[in-house]
Amino acid sequence: MPVARPESSDARIIAHVDMDCFYVQVEQRKQPKLRGQPTAVVQYNSWKGGGLIAVSYEARKYGVKRSMRGDDAKQVCPQIQLVQVPVARGKADLSIYRNAGSEVVSILARKGRCERASIDEVYLDLTDAVEAMLAETPPESLETIDEEALKSHVLGFNEDGNDFKEIVRQWICRNDADHRDKLLACGAIIVAELRLQVLKETEFTCSAGIAHNKMLAKLASGMNKPAQQTVVPFSSVMGLLEPLPIKKMKQLGGKLGSALQVELGVNTVGDLLRFSEEKLQERYGINTGTWLWNIARGISGEEVEGRLLPKSHGSGKTFPGPRALKTMASVEHWLNELCEELSERLHSDMDQNKRIAHTITLHARAYKCGDSDSHNKFPSKSCPLRYGTAKIQEDALNLFQIGLREYLGSYRVKTKGSQNNGWGITALSVSASKIVAIPSGTRSIMKYFHGQDQSHFSSKQPNDRCIQAAPSSPSGSESYSGLHLTEQEIDLCGDEPRIEYAMPILDQLEHKRRMWEEQDTCLMVRSADSQDPSHSSRKVQDRVTRETSPVPSSGTESCLLPKQNEPQTEFHGEESRIKHAMRSVKPQEQKRKRLKEKGTSSILRFFQSRNSCSSSKQEHFESVREIKASSCSGVQSIGESCNEMIKDQLPQETPVAEIGTNSGTYSLGQDEQRRDAWSYKMDEIDPKVVNELPPEIQEELWAWLRPHKRPNIAKRGSSIAHYFSPAKST
Ligand code: TTP
């Protein structure tokens, strides 16, 4: 549903950059002999010459269109060069295009906040850059304006073709222009430079729209293609919008746009201007009503998100007509292929961008023969994502089976041999979403993964191919015709019906750690609203080490219940992934030795300076002493004070540990709110931080971090306590 966001009072300058016939340009760079030739990229399925997915501007002049097949294109343009999209695992492999898109993004991002909107589209917020330019070198002070900027189309100013560049030069250099137009003029100069830079570094041309918001910039970027840019001055906004068919507006291409046409007779944006905000709210709800009223006037406060990486990864394939999949074996085969690709991309994303995904979703298109309910959609299914190709394959297959059961319902499938005569699968895709950065304090997980157990990631991976993380479609990558999914559209999981599973929480990291620790741990599924350990009666006696498929556990929460008297730890999503990988890091002895020899230590330096701090800091130590006195264990309060001190002094991203106690993470209660703002749980501590402490402190901290091996500190006294004791600060 569209969200109405008011435009901020300060003018912004937003550019939308769209590559020209992108796949064709990528292929032309690969084969320079194709440059300047009528060329098209065709999809993998070569039926009738293959469906066209990208068409060069030279070919467009002959009437070649994306909706055509290769054979039809040859009819209208016999000299057309058809290039097949690269193929891997029996399906289109878009990685070459994704990587090319990433090259462009990295250049554009140099000038402002950059949002990668699809494989070949980017939004840029250039407000800061243009403000700076206006302050330092306003256009009217420039001796020459770059040719590329002079070729801009300025809506409402130079559309008749006479003295084109001179009009633009005057418009850019106008002394009496209002502030917003001056900003736009700077934007036009900066975007022209960026486009030239993209051409120089990548050999690709692109087109751009420059306006005060995303919506207008996007509308403008496609107005003059290829290799040109269009500026939308404030005074021309209504002229641009009024004649536009309503269905051309973003978010109005579907049901809402149709409803406006049918219910209110609105066919153009201009028609929408007839309706008051109240009237639109009455019909379509407060939010949508306001959004409609705003967009009709060119108002949109939508922010450029500042995202260079995709929100999700997807791998899909279509099986049209007679190629529909009709056996579980064929479904499994293709799911395995798709999952292998997905796993590689996830691995790459983790490797290059230090990100992990949380959710895997399976989508399919299916039919049922002779069934009146055949229009029912195959339900998309999600579960928490477990890393490792084999795990992903296993979970995807389970999700498919659950989806198929639900899709078929009471429908009776007739089988003939291994093939059923009832259902067919015409598209399959798997996508990974809810991708987040691994917190900087826990990145040693990466070292662990790389150094210790590569097999986790790819039990079947043939090699460690490095594919740059980038957007793709979760739907059939071979059947793109008429279906161009942007990254946002790919991120389906948030809105998809979800099934929760107990088992995937026990991902392989946890699983492995537990094997190493040789604990007799049980998996317990307990009711979400109960934290009561007495539920242990419902303990499932399955050993965690057993490989189990996801089991739907709607309305339940999964947790691990360690042995009695062991610290109880709950594992949730990322926390579990990271903290247990952390625990899996090899014994720290050697590392500690090395670091001891290393000498200088930032934290140590901090502590030393802290110790020599002025009397104003004495208050802090006093309060620490108070906390200490009120706590049941001296070590606990010292842990808190240690955290406090580290927190005060270290750069924000430096990870800090909370010192743990028997109950997992110790909480001092009265400091809850303060802690929320910064705390790290003890299991999230970066070993590097501990390693920088003096050896005796390290030893004790490690003991707290690994409670099973905790020494009897109470007996021999805490060196942490000693080290941080207020007395030392004097
Ligand atoms: P677009 O930006 O829509 O088109 P384009 O770059 O080919 O051409 P234009 O200059 O008109 O913008 O799509 C970007 C790439 O995405 C395109 O080169 C090929 C791919 N694509 C598909 O594979 N299937 C589709 O249906 C569409 C629309 C695009």
Side-chain angles (χ1 to χ4, degrees):
M1 186 188 287
V3 178
R5 289 199 185 87
E7 192 108 46
S8 68
S9 52
D10 299 326
R12 296 177 299 152
I13 298 299
I14 310 294
H16 177 258
V17 179
D18 186 14
M19 306 309 293
D20 303 316
C21 56
F22 189 46
Y23 288 13
V24 170
Q25 286 205 75
V26 175
E27 296 299 337
Q28 286 175 332
R29 184 172 71 169
K30 218 162 66 178
Q31 300 182 58
K33 68 172 194 298
L34 296 178
R35 274 193 207 289
Q37 304 281 325
T39 308
V41 175
V42 292
Q43 60 192 6
Y44 170 51
N45 168 13
S46 57
W47 181 67
K48 282 196 171 179
L52 271 52
I53 53 177
V55 180
S56 76
Y57 282 83
E58 292 83 3
R60 291 183 201 192
K61 284 185 199 145
Y62 291 87
V64 178
K65 294 199 171 72
R66 185 157 25 215
S67 53
M68 292 178 170
R69 301 207 72 91
D71 292 352
D72 305 327
K74 279 198 168 140
Q75 297 258 312
V76 295
C77 177
Q79 68 275 40
I80 193 164
Q81 306 285 326
L82 299 176
V83 184
Q84 199 194 54
V85 77
V87 174
R89 301 189 181 88
K91 59 184 278 299
D93 176 7
L94 307 182
S95 49
I96 179 182
Y97 309 122
R98 285 191 204 103
N99 294 346
S102 301
E103 287 177 48
V104 175
V105 171
S106 67
I107 297 165
L108 297 176
R110 292 174 198 159
K111 278 288 180 185
R113 192 160 70 243
C114 186
E115 176 183 327
R116 193 170 182 174
S118 81
I119 200 160
D120 78 331
E121 279 174 281
V122 169
Y123 287 101
L124 278 173
D125 188 332
L126 295 170
T127 311
D128 290 345
V130 297
E131 293 274 14
M133 181 177 175
L134 198 56
E136 288 156 25
T137 49
E140 63 266 29
S141 73
L142 297 174
E143 274 177 20
T144 52
I145 307 280
D146 195 272
E147 273 291 294
E148 196 57 41
L150 292 179
K151 287 194 315 204
S152 302
H153 298 256
V154 185
L155 293 187
F157 285 83
N158 66 341
E159 286 160 293
D160 57 6
N162 293 330
D163 283 338
F164 192 96
K165 288 187 193 165
E166 182 51 28
I167 293 171
V168 179
R169 203 187 58 73
Q170 284 171 12
W171 181 81
I172 288 179
C173 297
R174 240 176 29 182
N175 228 336
D176 60 345
D178 87 348
H179 184 65
R180 284 176 304 203
D181 276 3
K182 284 189 173 179
L183 292 176
L184 279 176
C186 294
I189 293 173
I190 291 173
V191 172
E193 278 168 12
L194 278 171
R195 289 180 36 247
L196 283 176
Q197 201 55 32
V198 168
L199 182 62
K200 195 169 144 203
E201 293 185 37
T202 67
E203 302 176 23
F204 300 143
T205 66
C206 56
S207 301
I210 303 140
H212 292 301
N213 63 45
K214 281 170 90 171
M215 175 183 79
L216 297 170
K218 164 103 180 165
L219 284 174
S221 69
M223 292 182 77
N224 294 288
K225 278 192 142 236
Q228 295 173 78
Q229 60 184 46
T230 306
V231 184
V232 188
F234 188 71
S235 55
S236 305
V237 170
M238 292 319 292
L240 165 68
L241 289 178
E242 278 190 34
L244 264 187
I246 199 81
K247 288 268 197 174
K248 289 256 180 228
M249 298 294 284
K250 199 175 161 197
Q251 308 206 56
L252 290 179
K255 282 185 195 161
L256 183 55
S258 303
L260 285 167
Q261 285 178 319
V262 174
E263 294 166 14
L264 300 182
V266 167
N267 290 310
T268 63
V269 178
D271 293 341
L272 200 54
L273 290 169
R274 296 200 309 265
F275 299 91
S276 69
E277 187 174 359
E278 291 71 29
K279 173 86 181 162
L280 293 169
Q281 286 178 336
E282 258 169 45
R283 273 209 171 249
Y284 302 107
I286 304 248
N287 198 22
T288 305
T290 299
W291 178 79
L292 286 169
W293 192 87
N294 282 344
I295 58 131
R297 288 153 186 82
I299 301 168
S300 164
E302 196 189 337
E303 293 280 338
V304 172
E305 267 179 38
R307 174 165 51 79
L308 306 186
L309 300 167
K311 273 165 110 176
S312 60
H313 299 289
S315 176
K317 183 170 171 68
T318 53
F319 310 94
R323 286 187 286 138
L325 308 179
K326 293 184 168 183
T327 63
M328 276 312 291
S330 59
V331 168
E332 186 172 355
H333 165 80
W334 281 110
L335 274 181
N336 284 348
E337 296 290 325
L338 300 177
C339 291
E340 203 170 296
E341 186 197 336
L342 184 66
S343 182
E344 276 185 19
R345 300 221 339 247
L346 286 168
H347 188 188
S348 241
D349 200 359
M350 179 184 303
D351 199 17
Q352 296 171 7
N353 309 316
K354 318 280 179 282
R355 304 194 310 163
I356 53 170
H358 283 258
T359 302
I360 179 173
T361 303
L362 176 122
H363 312 271
R365 266 206 317 263
Y367 65 80
K368 286 179 265 186
C369 295
D371 185 67
S372 55
D373 270 351
S374 210
H375 60 275
N376 277 358
K377 281 194 177 148
F378 190 103
S380 296
K381 294 290 173 195
S382 303
C383 74
L385 191 148
R386 302 187 295 160
Y387 273 76
T389 310
K391 303 279 179 195
I392 293 175
Q393 289 169 335
E394 183 186 334
D395 291 347
L397 184 61
N398 278 307
L399 292 175
F400 175 82
Q401 283 166 335
I402 292 164
L404 184 65
R405 269 200 297 277
E406 200 175 312
Y407 174 69
L408 294 177
S410 55
Y411 179 78
R412 297 177 83 102
V413 180
K414 296 180 203 104
T415 50
K416 197 174 162 194
S418 65
Q419 190 164 315
N420 80 81
N421 278 342
W423 55 266
I425 300 297
T426 54
L428 268 181
S429 77
V430 280
S431 61
S433 61
K434 305 230 163 86
I435 303 178
V436 297
I438 299 171
S440 58
T442 50
R443 294 216 177 134
S444 49
I445 187 175
M446 303 297 297
K447 280 191 210 130
Y448 157 71
F449 284 143
H450 288 294
Q452 311 221 355
D453 193 0
Q454 194 73 15
S455 65
H456 262 330
F457 282 93
S458 180
S459 51
K460 288 191 184 171
Q461 234 156 261
N463 55 30
D464 200 8
R465 268 182 57 209
C466 216
I467 302 171
Q468 191 148 359
S472 83
S473 160
S475 65
S477 49
E478 288 178 43
S479 68
Y480 253 114
S481 324
L483 170 75
H484 182 40
L485 294 161
T486 64
E487 269 173 76
Q488 289 93 327
E489 288 164 324
I490 294 168
D491 188 26
L492 301 166
C493 302
D495 300 328
E496 293 295 333
R498 280 191 54 165
I499 302 176
E500 299 293 341
Y501 296 99
M503 187 53 201
I505 299 288
L506 301 172
D507 62 13
Q508 69 276 21
L509 300 176
E510 169 57 12
H511 182 168
K512 184 157 184 157
R513 177 186 75 85
R514 288 179 164 261
M515 290 203 293
W516 283 345
E517 289 188 4
E518 293 177 351
Q519 281 190 0
D520 186 17
T521 314
C522 296
L523 165 66
M524 180 178 136
V525 179
R526 65 181 179 177
S527 144
D529 56 2
S530 168
Q531 302 289 316
D532 184 356
S534 68
H535 284 248
S536 58
S537 58
R538 289 158 61 189
K539 208 188 278 181
V540 181
Q541 289 302 320
D542 296 340
R543 289 280 306 231
V544 174
T545 48
R546 209 177 62 196
E547 293 266 344
T548 317
S549 303
V551 178
S553 64
S554 203
T556 64
E557 176 190 20
S558 59
C559 77
L560 290 170
L561 188 71
K563 263 203 248 175
Q564 266 186 350
N565 304 326
E566 290 273 320
Q568 183 176 336
T569 317
E570 287 192 17
F571 306 111
H572 296 289
E574 187 182 1
E575 208 178 308
S576 106
R577 287 162 213 269
I578 295 168
K579 79 166 97 170
H580 301 303
M582 294 289 303
R583 281 185 175 178
S584 309
V585 175
K586 268 185 178 171
Q588 303 295 317
E589 261 63 47
Q590 289 179 343
K591 237 186 185 179
R592 259 185 267 154
K593 239 189 211 163
R594 256 184 283 127
L595 280 151
K596 200 171 155 188
E597 284 156 19
K598 211 168 81 181
T600 333
S601 137
S602 55
I603 295 184
L604 195 51
R605 269 205 310 279
F606 149 67
F607 283 134
Q608 280 159 354
S609 68
R610 183 82 198 196
N611 287 345
S612 61
C613 64
S614 68
S615 60
S616 67
K617 303 280 181 189
Q618 189 61 32
E619 276 174 37
H620 174 81
F621 292 117
E622 289 302 333
S623 68
V624 167
R625 204 179 294 161
E626 272 171 41
I627 295 168
K628 187 172 144 189
S630 67
S631 99
C632 56
S633 149
V635 176
Q636 289 162 358
S637 63
I638 290 155
E640 182 73 1
S641 75
C642 170
N643 279 338
E644 279 297 296
M645 291 197 292
I646 296 172
K647 179 195 84 175
D648 285 353
Q649 296 290 321
L650 292 179
Q652 278 202 328
E653 62 277 9
T654 306
V656 177
E658 270 189 322
I659 309 301
T661 70
N662 279 2
S663 60
T665 303
Y666 178 68
S667 160
L668 278 180
Q670 63 263 54
D671 277 357
E672 254 351 292
Q673 279 183 334
R674 198 171 26 147
R675 185 201 316 272
D676 279 348
W678 61 272
S679 76
Y680 282 77
K681 294 213 165 70
M682 70 169 197
D683 296 304
E684 293 172 344
I685 191 171
D686 186 331
K688 278 183 292 187
V689 174
V690 181
N691 285 333
E692 290 197 18
L693 293 166
E696 71 275 20
I697 307 299
Q698 284 187 35
E699 199 183 334
E700 200 166 320
L701 279 171
W702 280 117
W704 282 107
L705 292 170
R706 290 179 297 182
H708 309 310
K709 296 179 185 162
R710 206 177 97 202
N712 188 349
I713 289 160
K715 237 189 233 166
R716 63 174 166 80
S718 161
S719 52
I720 300 180
H722 191 65
Y723 188 74
F724 294 114
S725 97
K728 265 202 111 182
S729 69
T730 54

